[in-house]
Amino acid sequence: MLKVEGLNAGYGSVNILWDIGFTLAEGEIVAILGSNGAGKTTMVRAVTGMLKPSSGSVVFNGEDMAKKNSRVILNSGIVQVPEGRQLFTDMTVLENLQMGAFNKGTKAHFQENLKKAYGWFPKLEERAKQAAGTLSGGEQQMVAVARALIGEPKLLILDEPSLGLAPNIVDDILNVASTLAKNDGISVLLVEQDITKALAAADRGYVIENGRIALEGTSAELQANEHVKKAYLGI
Ligand code: ATP
């Protein structure tokens, strides 16, 4: 479903990503792992069209997205939950969720998708009329995920969903992602610094170091890998 090949990208004259390649199948959860500054968010930006790669391809369902703009990419079904959530904090929860229905199709299905989102995250229904900025961090992350789901993703990108959240809330969010992958065939790209949680949820993973793919494998292979254990799991 997604095949990234030979991706090089950066900011101005500074190259950050070097020859990045990875694949993601329908209904699969793939983790992109790496420490602070490794290039994970830059990679997400290159996949979602927010940053134009200097070379390489991002083929999604047979179409190269590398030169398309973010609107076209969004309409193709690649929806991200950005790092830091980026909610409209003065707007209500419901208004934020309405922002997730960005095109004719998703606008037409909004009520139906809203009901599903409330099913995933019942707290959001209770807080529908509350300004998003007054919610707890965990609830705000739920709004960000629900907003993305209202956009009917085929590929859901979660950028650091665990950042600043209590472990049980991270588990809730990853459980929703796993169920969506299994039952609805949504593919999930899980970008994380919390390698333990990410590998527990993902089928496979890629480790990025200094803008390059340093390692790849199934979650079990990466969990057992000596370098991963030493450098990331503190074992
Ligand atoms: P984090 O978990 O901190 O978000 P990351 O793995 O997502 O880390 P990136 O945010 O992709 O890493 O950053 C990779 C490198 O690109 C870093 O050296 C960073 O300083 C640099 N960088 C990020 N954004 C910009 C920008 N807008 N302009 C210039 N350099 C940037």
Side-chain angles (χ1 to χ4, degrees):
M1 146 173 276
L2 179 72
K3 186 169 190 183
V4 172
E5 268 182 315
L7 193 70
N8 287 281
Y11 304 97
S13 60
V14 183
N15 200 55
I16 302 287
L17 301 180
W18 302 86
D19 199 25
I20 294 282
F22 65 91
T23 60
L24 176 57
E26 197 174 310
E28 196 179 28
I29 304 185
V30 164
I32 301 288
L33 311 163
S35 45
N36 221 326
K40 304 182 299 298
T41 298
T42 303
M43 197 212 73
V44 170
R45 289 195 188 127
V47 170
T48 55
M50 285 155 83
L51 180 70
K52 289 284 151 252
S54 49
S55 60
S57 60
V58 177
V59 177
F60 181 61
N61 286 333
E63 212 180 332
D64 190 1
M65 298 292 166
K67 294 201 171 60
K68 302 252 156 84
N69 67 37
S70 2
R71 169 64 53 168
V72 173
I73 294 174
L74 189 61
N75 275 319
S76 76
I78 300 182
V79 182
Q80 72 158 320
V81 178
E83 186 175 2
R85 299 155 206 145
Q86 310 203 356
L87 300 182
F88 300 93
T89 50
D90 292 336
M91 287 164 58
T92 66
V93 167
L94 180 60
E95 285 164 344
N96 270 279
L97 296 178
Q98 280 164 341
M99 304 296 282
F102 54 87
N103 65 18
K104 250 194 187 162
T106 49
K107 278 198 178 95
H109 305 153
F110 177 67
Q111 286 306 331
E112 192 184 317
N113 288 332
L114 180 66
K115 230 172 140 187
K116 275 194 212 161
Y118 285 161
W120 291 118
F121 304 113
K123 271 231 174 100
L124 299 188
E125 188 163 16
E126 292 165 28
R127 308 234 185 267
K129 300 262 164 62
Q130 204 170 315
T134 65
L135 267 55
S136 72
E139 290 163 350
Q140 290 193 24
Q141 186 64 282
M142 289 175 199
V143 177
V145 174
R147 181 178 60 184
L149 296 179
I150 281 167
E152 299 182 353
K154 295 188 185 106
L155 164 57
L156 177 68
I157 304 180
L158 299 174
D159 194 357
E160 307 254 3
S162 76
L163 214 64
L165 300 186
N168 60 331
I169 293 171
V170 180
D171 291 341
D172 286 350
I173 286 169
L174 294 180
N175 280 338
V176 169
S178 295
T179 309
L180 287 167
K182 244 186 239 132
N183 296 352
D184 298 348
I186 292 178
S187 306
V188 180
L189 195 62
L190 175 59
V191 178
E192 260 298 351
Q193 270 186 58
D194 185 335
I195 293 200
T196 309
K197 284 224 180 288
L199 287 180
D203 302 300
R204 290 187 299 119
Y206 296 82
V207 179
I208 301 191
E209 287 177 357
N210 299 318
R212 299 171 198 271
I213 303 275
L215 272 174
E216 63 175 277
T218 64
S219 293
E221 283 165 356
L222 292 176
Q223 278 158 341
N225 181 280
E226 286 306 320
H227 175 66
V228 172
K229 279 196 203 166
K230 271 203 202 102
Y232 298 100
L233 299 175
I235 302 175

